[in-house]
Amino acid sequence: MSTNEVDAPTRPAPSPPGGGPRGFADRWPFRRKLNVLVGVPLAVVAVLLTYLIVDLVRQSDRAESAARLVRDSEQVAVLVDHVEREHQQAVLLSVRYEAGGGAKPSLAAYRRAQAAVDSQVQKVRGAFGDRLPATEAQALKEAEGLSSLRETVAQGYLPADNIDPAYMNAAKGLIDGLALDRNADLAATFTGNLLDSLLRADAAHAAFETGVFSATTGDSNALIEFTGAVGSYELYTYQADRFGRFATEQQTDQLSGIEHTPAQRSIAEAYAELQVDPSGLQADGREEIRRTFTDALSDYPSYPRQAESRLKIVASLIGQIADRADRASSDAQWRAGLLLSLALIGFGVWIAFSVAVRRSVVRPVQALTGAAQQVAEAAGRELARVADDDAEDDASPRLRDVPVTAHDEIGELAQAFNHVQTTAAALLERQVLSRRNVAEMFGNVGRRVSNLTARQLALIDAVERGETDPAVLERLYSIDHIAVRLRRNADSLMLLAGIRETVLDGGPTALTNVVRAALGQIEGFQRVRLHAETEVVVEPDIVGDLTLMIAELLENAVAFSPAGSPVEVTVRVGGEGALIEVADHGLGMSAERLAEENARLIRRERLDLVPTKVLGLFVVGTLARRWKVGVALSRTPGGGVTATVEIPSTLLLTMSPVS
């Protein structure tokens, strides 16, 4: 017993992805690649926008901090003004001591000026709190450290050139301590330079006012005080110009208003008179000093009024600068909020667009993949039928068209794949039709041969009935036997072609008679030994097919065993039905070959791949599956093959042991 195999041509397996980034990306699923393609730029943009938004928030914080610093600096401007007022009172006290007169000058005004300075120092500390710069804290200590100078001035005459440096350095230190021109939080909006130039212009004009007043008293240092006033006014002019480079035109005009107050006109007139003859500023003798001092003292009320007007202008400008910093903070917050909102909206739109694009790419690819898998499964089933299997459903596969949802390259690929599917389905349908036509042709040939052999047997029977010669009868019996075998082959051919003919005139038949009928359809029946251990009757419907099945097994057993060896057939009870065992004593089969042939008896076999020399096992397998009869091949003890046929009880009528 042997069969030929049909193996599908094998294709080389695709080479695995190589190493490196390209190989790593090749192992990623298509959707993950799209996620990376969309996600990486999105993440980069998100990082950049985050950096920009954080920077705007920081700008807002810096601007807010600058606004607080500017507002707190107003207290420093007031402190500088108080220092200059104390400076003026110290100069007045010094001139009074120089003018003489017997009585000790009153210290009340000087003490009030000192108290105002000390009180303002505490206000500055309270305004800044823990935000007070270290340099400003040191400047405040230096302002409080004027106590020794104060006591010296209060006790007796001290020249103005010894008084001026201490107060001027204290005022300058208070402004320098703020470090406005070096503050990073103020640099972005030029607020530091704007405020620094304003405070220094204010301090310079205050020093100018003090210098003019000291020069008009006619004391021994009048010329020095006049020279200081000239220098202070030049410094004021420089700082005012510097302020104008950073301020608006309105703010510049407002600062210049310091020069146009009524009190300033009085001071300007005194300054102009000093400029007429600077060498004659110093008075000769105490009487002249008292006279010039009295004249200067009569004009002194203009100086406090000018200080008040100047301080109001400076305070107004400081408020404007602070408002400008607040607006910068608000603008930065607004820009950060707007950018964040636009970023969120943009990200939402981008993500929605990316999802839509991703779906437009992934869905057609998934549809292509599903259709390709369907085609692969259909091709696999067809290949299995081509190789071994003969499935019951021989209809051509119905392949689902890939939906063309886009008009891009993927849409063109889907259309091309649909064309491939249509062509493949047409080829498979043509193959199925061709196989059906071949089977029908084989069936027609088998039917025609069966009809001819039936007619031939009828003629031989008629001749046999009229012949009396033993030699001729023996020859006629041989011809009759050959015709019977030929009809069996025709029946096998029709069976494999899928044609099933029902025997209408049959009846229940004993299983042993079925075996005997099968013996009459093979060559070498003389070598077969029948052992009947039970007598059972089978259904009429299975008699013809069972006879053909047993005949094919007997034919194989006789053909593949030595000529002198017997073939033993045993009919007995087994399991839930009857057993027929056909044992030969030939060469047998290997274990692998037995497993293969038993598998072929279970699965359906293809007619167009049946070996032309051995049809027996294909016929047996087809009939066994048709009637759900169990057929198994095993080794015969001593060598050979034993075929066991298990007929279920549903196909049997009676069962009785042979006595």
Side-chain angles (χ1 to χ4, degrees):
M1 302 179 183
S2 64
T3 59
N4 295 334
E5 298 181 356
V6 177
D7 296 329
T10 59
R11 295 181 178 179
S15 59
R22 181 177 180 182
F24 180 72
D26 289 342
R27 291 190 294 269
W28 280 4
F30 185 69
R31 282 176 289 185
R32 182 178 298 178
K33 294 178 182 178
L34 287 179
N35 292 338
V36 171
L37 189 62
V38 174
V40 170
L42 195 63
V44 172
V45 173
V47 170
L48 294 177
L49 286 176
T50 301
Y51 175 79
L52 184 58
I53 292 173
V54 170
D55 184 66
L56 288 175
V57 172
R58 290 176 178 173
Q59 289 182 17
S60 174
D61 293 340
R62 289 195 296 268
E64 184 177 0
S65 176
R68 290 198 302 267
L69 178 60
V70 170
R71 295 189 189 281
D72 296 339
S73 298
E74 182 179 352
Q75 299 298 328
V76 176
V78 174
L79 178 58
V80 170
D81 182 73
H82 287 351
V83 169
E84 286 299 329
R85 291 192 183 189
E86 181 182 341
H87 183 193
Q88 292 176 7
Q89 291 299 324
V91 171
L92 281 173
L93 192 59
S94 174
V95 175
R96 283 192 176 100
Y97 274 118
E98 186 178 7
K104 185 177 181 179
S106 174
L107 301 177
Y110 187 44
R111 297 301 183 188
R112 286 194 300 271
Q114 293 174 11
V117 170
D118 294 339
S119 175
Q120 188 62 28
V121 167
Q122 299 304 320
K123 289 182 180 180
V124 171
R125 286 198 178 101
F128 279 91
D130 56 357
R131 295 178 291 104
L132 182 67
T135 52
E136 184 65 17
Q138 182 62 32
L140 293 176
K141 291 181 180 180
E142 293 177 357
E144 292 175 330
L146 294 173
S147 57
S148 59
L149 175 65
R150 291 170 177 173
E151 293 302 323
T152 302
V153 172
Q155 291 175 2
Y157 172 71
L158 185 67
D161 58 344
N162 292 335
I163 298 175
D164 294 342
Y167 284 102
M168 293 180 65
N169 289 335
K172 183 176 182 296
L174 290 172
I175 299 175
D176 291 341
L178 294 175
L180 298 174
D181 54 346
R182 300 187 301 275
N183 192 316
D185 293 339
L186 305 178
T189 56
F190 303 105
T191 304
N193 288 315
L194 190 64
L195 182 60
D196 183 75
S197 60
L198 176 62
L199 294 178
R200 293 185 186 279
D202 174 55
H205 203 278
F208 163 74
E209 296 166 8
T210 302
V212 170
F213 175 72
S214 295
T216 58
T217 59
D219 67 345
S220 58
N221 296 300
L223 182 58
I224 298 175
E225 295 298 321
F226 173 74
T227 304
V230 173
S232 297
Y233 190 78
E234 291 178 353
L235 179 60
Y236 162 76
T237 304
Y238 169 76
Q239 294 297 341
D241 291 340
R242 179 184 169 209
F243 177 83
R245 291 197 297 269
F246 302 104
T248 63
E249 184 177 353
Q250 292 79 5
Q251 291 173 338
T252 304
D253 293 340
Q254 187 174 358
L255 179 62
S256 64
I258 294 176
E259 296 290 305
H260 301 92
T261 63
Q264 176 61 24
R265 283 197 293 271
S266 176
I267 297 173
E269 290 175 359
Y271 180 60
E273 292 176 357
L274 294 175
Q275 290 177 316
V276 173
D277 184 15
S279 61
L281 295 178
Q282 184 175 352
D284 296 330
R286 290 180 179 271
E287 292 298 330
E288 188 175 356
I289 292 176
R290 281 195 293 270
R291 182 180 59 78
T292 55
F293 175 71
T294 302
D295 294 339
L297 195 60
S298 63
D299 295 333
Y300 181 71
S302 299
Y303 292 90
R305 289 197 301 270
Q306 170 62 16
E308 292 177 1
S309 300
R310 174 173 41 78
L311 191 59
K312 288 181 181 179
I313 293 174
V314 171
S316 175
L317 290 173
I318 289 177
Q320 295 177 27
I321 296 172
D323 293 340
R324 175 181 175 181
D326 283 333
R327 287 194 299 271
S329 175
S330 301
D331 290 344
Q333 290 179 353
W334 184 83
R335 289 197 301 272
L338 179 62
L339 184 60
L340 179 60
S341 301
L342 292 177
L344 292 177
I345 295 174
F347 277 126
V349 174
W350 178 277
I351 292 174
F353 178 74
S354 300
V355 170
V357 172
R358 182 179 180 275
R359 288 182 177 178
S360 68
V361 174
V362 172
R363 285 183 176 178
V365 172
Q366 288 178 335
L368 285 173
T369 303
Q373 291 175 348
Q374 184 181 9
V375 172
E377 291 174 359
R381 290 193 301 267
E382 184 62 21
L383 183 61
R385 287 200 299 267
V386 170
D388 288 313
D389 207 6
D390 187 15
E392 295 181 358
D393 185 11
D394 287 337
S396 59
R398 302 300 178 187
L399 302 179
R400 177 175 55 88
D401 288 341
V402 178
V404 182
T405 58
H407 300 285
D408 52 8
E409 292 81 356
I410 296 181
E412 295 176 357
L413 178 59
Q415 293 177 349
F417 192 83
N418 287 336
H419 182 67
V420 172
Q421 283 197 121
T422 303
T423 304
L427 291 175
L428 292 178
E429 184 176 1
R430 182 176 300 178
Q431 184 180 10
V432 171
L433 180 61
S434 176
R435 186 169 62 247
R436 187 180 296 116
N437 292 337
V438 171
E440 185 176 355
M441 180 183 66
F442 285 168
N444 291 334
V445 172
R447 184 182 291 108
R448 294 173 66 181
V449 172
S450 179
N451 293 336
L452 291 176
T453 53
R455 292 171 58 188
Q456 183 181 14
L457 287 173
L459 292 175
I460 293 174
D461 288 341
V463 174
E464 287 176 346
R465 285 193 296 270
E467 184 62 48
T468 58
D469 186 353
V472 175
L473 285 175
E474 184 178 359
R475 291 180 178 178
L476 289 175
Y477 290 152
S478 298
I479 296 173
D480 181 275
H481 189 67
I482 293 173
V484 171
R485 291 173 57 199
L486 182 60
R487 185 174 63 182
R488 177 175 60 83
N489 289 334
D491 292 340
S492 297
L493 185 59
M494 287 189 294
L495 174 69
L496 295 175
I499 298 175
R500 182 177 182 180
E501 293 189 347
T502 304
V503 180
L504 300 178
D505 56 351
T509 306
L511 187 55
T512 54
N513 291 335
V514 172
V515 176
R516 292 186 180 95
L519 289 173
Q521 298 181 5
I522 68 171
E523 184 179 4
F525 61 89
Q526 299 87 349
R527 295 166 46 195
V528 178
R529 302 289 184 265
L530 176 61
H531 305 282
E533 299 179 2
T534 181
E535 190 65 37
V536 62
V537 178
V538 297
E539 290 281 356
D541 294 340
I542 195 177
V543 171
D545 289 343
L546 187 58
T547 301
L548 181 58
M549 180 190 300
I550 301 302
E552 293 292 348
L553 291 174
L554 291 173
E555 181 74 29
N556 283 347
V558 171
F560 293 99
S561 61
S565 63
V567 174
E568 298 176 352
V569 179
T570 303
V571 180
R572 61 184 178 85
V573 177
E576 297 181 357
L579 295 179
I580 301 175
E581 294 180 347
V582 180
D584 64 58
H585 301 279
L587 296 177
M589 299 181 184
S590 63
E592 293 78 6
R593 181 66 183 279
L594 280 175
E596 180 183 349
E597 297 301 336
N598 282 320
R600 289 185 181 275
L601 291 172
I602 296 174
R603 66 174 181 264
R604 300 181 62 85
E605 302 290 351
R606 280 283 303 275
L607 173 64
D608 52 350
L609 298 177
V610 173
T612 56
K613 294 182 179 180
V614 180
L615 297 176
L617 292 181
F618 292 90
V619 174
V620 172
T622 301
L623 294 175
R625 288 187 295 274
R626 174 184 294 179
W627 296 102
K628 294 180 175 57
V629 173
V631 180
L633 303 179
S634 61
R635 290 183 178 181
T636 302
V641 176
T642 297
T644 303
V645 180
E646 183 179 356
I647 304 172
S649 58
T650 55
L651 299 177
L652 304 177
L653 294 180
T654 59
M655 295 181 62
S656 61
V658 177
S659 58

